[in-house]
Amino acid sequence: MSLLVKGGTVVGPTGTRVADVLIEGEKIVAVLDPSFSPTITVDEVLDASGKYVIPGGIDAHTHMELPFGGTAASDTFDTGTRAAAYGGTTTIIDFAVQRTGEVVQDGLAAWHAKAEGECHIDYAFHMILGGVDADALKAMDQLVADEGITSFKLFMAYPGVFYSDDGQILRAMQTARENGAMIMMHAENGIAIDVLVQQALAKGQTDPIYHGITRPAALEAEATNRAIALAEVAQDCPLYIVHLSASQALEKVAEARHAGRNVFAETCPQYLYLTLEDQLGAPGFEGAKWVCSTPLRSKHEPHQRDLWKGLRNNELAIVSTDHCPFCMKDQKELGLGDFSKIPNGIGGVEHRVDLVFQGVVDGKLSLERWVETIATTPARMFGLYPQKGIVQPGSDADLVIYDPNGTTRIGVETHHMNMDHSAYEGVEIKGRVGTVVSRGEVIVADGNYHGRKGRGKFLKRGLSSYLM
Ligand code: URP
Ligand code: ZN
Ligand code: ZN
């Protein structure tokens, strides 16, 4: 099957140009000056004139079916990857979980069993380490060498669940420095947060808003700084701070990066668009929709301005969703009367490409930086480049024809995620995902779905291109 994507403006990390993209089977075979293409015969032509042609989005942070607080994230690999496709994402990197006390490889096998035969788009895994001991350290080596898992997430938060202490973190970082893996860090001081949570509950402060109030920016910045220091002690182990939300944490990352350190960070659309005040203004228990960790920050502080600036100047490398959806009914409701029991997470895998494009419309980001933060850098950061993340000959034919003149209105009535609400209800984007091509196959066109469950392939990843 051959396909010609004709007349679009191809956007890459280094620039834009009007070009035709020739696809044979699953691969891009040429990016052509339009004057050459009339001589080519193909099976199908997709008209992209007036549109952007970008690499398929790569969401480097999702949690399909993540067990959390006595329930599990409401999107399966089937529903979540289909929704991702609708939103122009053609690859996800999900987090496989080693529960505390579990053999790492058993946790990985369980994740493969959840995903295999279910995914609509290609997928890869990071590994959450729920317990760092001698066996887990050996398992890290094995996963890097044999399984294509080259990044490991540790938690400085959630004592008693996923939490690692500083000694465990240092050991994992030393192992990663040796085998080339990336350490991904949930950087919040969970011990201090737990004290604040207990104090709030003792005062009868049980509403969802106290989730954010008991997770102050200072404790995100402290943990970020500590993670950076531990990585330095581990011979500059590559460190990636996940879901960064606060200006104070960004300052720590910026300082390390300016010093030439192997430190990277992502933020998420919820921190770029939503605030603590959205939660405050919500009636009754509705604020639970916005409970996530790190939490939403106040609009009266300069977090959002600083995060956009960080994205512009590469202090922040990537926008991922941290897609971790829970329905209000029977899930978020577990925290009625006690905010600490609300499962943490916001769903947004379908909206990332659009929400970051709105930053282009608003003059906060260049077109090139849009593509870089949603596709090219995730591919490079997590060992998928150049198979993914770029429109160039030899790469997988994963691309999105994006209409800058379209409109997207986000809401529970129209989204495809398995959620009974939307954290972005009513948000309007000037731009729209038109056609989505995954390995040469049109899976979304004009809002209609043509993909199928099970067509997504597991991707074994290499080491990060940013490794020094
Ligand atoms: O609130 C969040 N972020 N839930 C998902 C788990 C995590 O820490 O990433
Ligand atoms: Zn986290
Ligand atoms: Zn997460």
Side-chain angles (χ1 to χ4, degrees):
M1 171 80 182
S2 59
L3 196 59
L4 189 68
V5 180
K6 206 169 162 34
T9 299
V10 178
V11 186
T14 55
T16 63
R17 68 170 168 136
V18 175
D20 296 344
V21 181
L22 181 61
I23 294 167
E24 285 280 350
E26 298 193 348
K27 296 283 180 188
I28 295 168
V29 292
V31 179
L32 299 160
D33 185 288
S35 58
F36 285 100
S37 331
T39 56
I40 296 170
T41 316
V42 286
D43 297 319
E44 195 182 340
V45 175
L46 298 177
D47 179 17
S49 46
K51 316 257 168 59
Y52 295 124
V53 177
I54 64 169
I58 300 174
D59 192 339
H61 189 155
T62 69
H63 298 285
M64 306 305 170
E65 304 179 42
L66 177 76
F68 197 110
T71 184
S74 56
D75 263 321
T76 60
F77 280 91
D78 174 9
T79 61
T81 58
R82 186 169 177 274
Y86 265 107
T89 286
T90 52
T91 303
I92 60 162
I93 313 181
D94 200 78
F95 284 83
V97 180
Q98 175 219 12
R99 297 176 195 234
T100 312
E102 186 182 28
V103 173
V104 173
Q105 285 88 347
D106 290 349
L108 177 59
W111 230 257
H112 274 297
K114 283 180 202 279
E116 208 178 321
E118 298 293 312
C119 293
H120 294 250
I121 54 172
D122 291 350
Y123 64 102
F125 296 147
H126 313 284
M127 189 86 216
I128 286 175
L129 294 179
V132 177
D133 57 15
D135 288 340
L137 296 176
K138 263 194 237 142
M140 286 174 73
D141 287 339
Q142 195 262 322
L143 264 56
V144 171
D146 306 328
E147 308 288 348
I149 313 283
T150 55
S151 41
F152 297 87
K153 183 178 178 191
L154 300 172
F155 287 79
M156 300 169 107
Y158 307 131
V161 191
F162 296 124
Y163 177 80
S164 291
D165 65 28
D166 291 352
Q168 290 173 309
I169 291 170
L170 180 60
R171 285 204 172 85
M173 285 179 166
Q174 289 168 333
T175 302
R177 177 74 274 189
E178 289 293 313
N179 65 29
M182 177 78 76
I183 293 294
M184 305 174 78
M185 190 62 72
H186 181 128
E188 286 187 295
N189 184 328
I191 303 285
I193 285 169
D194 267 14
V195 171
L196 297 179
V197 168
Q198 292 318 317
Q199 289 172 343
L201 291 173
K203 284 189 256 177
Q205 296 171 334
T206 59
D207 287 349
I209 192 66
Y210 290 102
H211 172 81
I213 291 171
T214 54
R215 304 181 95 88
L219 293 182
E220 184 185 346
E222 183 280 327
T224 303
N225 195 44
R226 187 156 35 101
I228 291 169
L230 290 167
E232 183 177 359
V233 172
Q235 309 294 319
D236 209 13
C237 157
L239 172 67
Y240 180 95
I241 306 291
V242 294
H243 48 54
L244 188 148
S245 67
S247 305
Q248 296 90 323
L250 179 59
E251 264 173 41
K252 306 295 177 195
V253 169
E255 193 181 295
R257 290 191 54 71
H258 296 169
R261 296 279 311 283
N262 243 342
V263 173
F264 310 93
E266 68 175 18
T267 192
C268 311
Q270 51 269 38
Y271 308 120
L272 295 168
Y273 285 95
L274 307 174
T275 65
L276 199 63
E277 285 71 25
D278 292 313
Q279 210 173 11
L280 251 180
F285 187 68
E286 292 288 293
K289 292 175 184 169
W290 294 280
V291 165
C292 60
S293 297
T294 53
L296 302 183
R297 301 295 177 192
S298 173
K299 71 174 179 191
H300 301 301
E301 294 159 5
H303 304 290
Q304 293 191 341
R305 183 201 68 192
D306 292 347
L307 295 179
W308 282 110
K309 178 162 161 262
L311 285 171
R312 277 195 297 280
N313 67 18
N314 203 30
E315 286 163 358
L316 291 168
I318 289 175
V319 182
S320 310
T321 57
D322 192 8
H323 176 74
C324 193
F326 296 99
C327 291
M328 287 294 276
K329 187 159 169 32
D330 297 337
Q331 295 201 299
K332 294 277 186 183
E333 280 175 357
L334 292 168
L336 269 167
D338 179 351
F339 69 86
S340 71
K341 295 198 166 54
I342 301 170
N344 288 196
I346 284 182
V349 75
E350 191 169 346
H351 305 312
R352 185 184 60 119
V353 171
D354 288 320
L355 286 165
V356 184
F357 181 72
Q358 185 63 41
V360 177
V361 175
D362 295 340
K364 293 173 176 162
L365 224 53
S366 67
L367 272 176
E368 290 83 354
R369 198 68 192 134
W370 170 47
V371 163
E372 216 166 27
T373 55
I374 61 164
T376 313
T377 303
R380 288 182 171 143
M381 187 70 71
F382 295 112
L384 291 170
Y385 189 86
Q387 181 184 355
K388 304 287 188 190
I390 187 100
V391 178
Q392 72 177 22
S395 296
D396 281 359
D398 291 357
L399 46 88
V400 177
I401 303 177
Y402 196 83
D403 182 1
N405 298 312
T407 312
T408 305
R409 193 167 194 281
I410 301 178
V412 66
E413 294 302 325
T414 48
H415 75 201
H416 302 86
M417 300 175 289
N418 186 30
M419 282 173 74
D420 60 4
H421 65 278
S422 170
Y424 301 95
E425 188 66 46
V427 170
E428 218 166 78
I429 310 290
K430 172 98 184 61
R432 189 171 178 80
V433 170
T435 304
V436 180
V437 179
S438 165
R439 275 185 286 102
E441 199 178 328
V442 174
I443 58 171
V444 176
D446 298 323
N448 297 312
Y449 195 69
H450 303 284
R452 68 197 174 281
K453 169 170 126 165
R455 63 169 299 288
K457 287 187 183 160
F458 176 69
L459 302 165
K460 282 192 170 187
R461 293 183 292 117
L463 298 180
S464 173
S465 309
Y466 294 108
L467 197 67
M468 287 192 296

